Amino acid sequence: MLIGLSGAHRSGKTTVMESLRSMTGMPTLKTSTAKLVERLGIDLAKPMTLVSRIEFQTAVFENYVEEIGKARSGGASLIVDRTPVDMAAYLLAEVGMSSHKALGDRGIQAVNAYAELCRDYLRENFAFVFVLRPLPVYEVEPNKPAPNFAYQQHYQMVIEGFLAALQGQLDYAIVPFTDHDSRVAAIKQIMTKVADQVAKKGKRATLH
């Protein structure tokens, strides 16, 4: 059973995941692009063209799939603090009305292909995805995105819209709470139901 936490940057995904691990004993995977960024020689603090963003996100996805495969050796259950929803949203949030002028038809097709790649992986591998809303306070840390609240909101909306398009194909829930304890309690309650249904029906559960 693969459970994912999704949401805009600085929304507390990793912190919630660590609490869930303590409460449930379920293995977790803290994903990171730090080593990949270092290997590719990319400075994330500098503006990135859409062409470069497509290339980077493709590398991020491939690295992510490899990490998941290693962590789930033998099909083990796992909670992960980032999902392909987030990866697709990072790219789609950069696409504007005039992006086709810079990308051309092939570039736009590449964006669409990447989004579909993320959808396929979600549908085929995830039992459930939980979406966390941004926290009321943005904690600034070194090597983390600057507090651009407008972009954070934009990115969050892309995430939720991306998932809405998968309704009926992927089980997910938007967690309405921003305080930590309420988030963890709500997710744990749903996870218990998901685990019961997965045990009965297989990889995916359908909750109503």
Side-chain angles (χ1 to χ4, degrees):
M1 182 173 74
L2 183 57
I3 300 290
L5 299 175
S6 184
H9 45 285
R10 316 305 294 147
S11 58
K13 298 185 292 295
T14 303
T15 303
V16 168
M17 182 185 73
E18 291 171 348
S19 292
L20 290 169
R21 178 183 59 200
S22 298
M23 293 178 67
T24 67
M26 191 169 172
T28 58
L29 174 64
K30 180 180 178 180
T31 60
S32 174
T33 60
K35 291 182 179 179
L36 177 64
V37 168
E38 183 179 354
R39 188 171 79 236
L40 296 176
I42 294 174
D43 184 354
L44 293 178
K46 294 182 179 179
M48 190 181 297
T49 66
L50 263 176
V51 172
S52 296
R53 171 63 73 178
I54 293 171
E55 294 173 352
F56 175 63
Q57 288 301 144
T58 300
V60 168
F61 179 84
E62 291 171 350
N63 184 71
Y64 177 85
V65 170
E66 184 178 347
E67 281 190 287
I68 294 287
K70 290 178 180 178
R72 295 194 74 207
S73 178
S77 293
L78 186 70
I79 306 173
V80 62
D81 66 351
R82 189 172 286 106
T83 76
V85 179
D86 307 275
M87 297 173 202
Y90 265 122
L91 178 55
L92 293 172
E94 297 291 334
V95 177
M97 186 178 293
S98 301
S99 295
H100 64 287
K101 295 179 181 179
L103 290 176
D105 291 341
R106 290 184 63 183
I108 293 298
Q109 289 171 7
V111 171
N112 291 334
Y114 181 77
E116 191 57 37
L117 184 69
C118 292
R119 291 188 190 97
D120 287 344
Y121 191 85
L122 285 160
R123 285 185 290 240
E124 293 170 7
N125 294 278
F126 278 83
F128 210 93
V129 171
F130 293 96
V131 181
L132 303 182
R133 293 269 171 80
L135 296 171
V137 177
Y138 193 109
E139 296 184 10
V140 180
E141 293 184 15
N143 302 316
K144 297 292 184 180
N148 182 338
F149 298 106
Y151 178 74
Q152 187 187 41
Q153 183 179 19
H154 177 205
Y155 176 42
Q156 183 72 22
M157 288 181 173
V158 174
I159 286 173
E160 295 186 20
F162 187 86
L163 279 170
L166 285 171
Q167 192 166 15
Q169 303 173 56
L170 174 72
D171 292 316
Y172 72 94
I174 296 173
V175 181
F177 312 106
T178 55
D179 66 287
H180 181 74
D181 290 344
S182 296
R183 284 174 155 188
V184 173
I187 292 172
K188 185 176 181 295
Q189 184 178 31
I190 295 175
M191 277 180 59
T192 300
K193 295 179 181 178
V194 173
D196 289 343
Q197 291 201 19
V198 167
K200 293 175 182 177
K201 299 182 178 180
K203 182 183 64 180
R204 286 195 55 212
T206 302
L207 300 183
H208 299 285

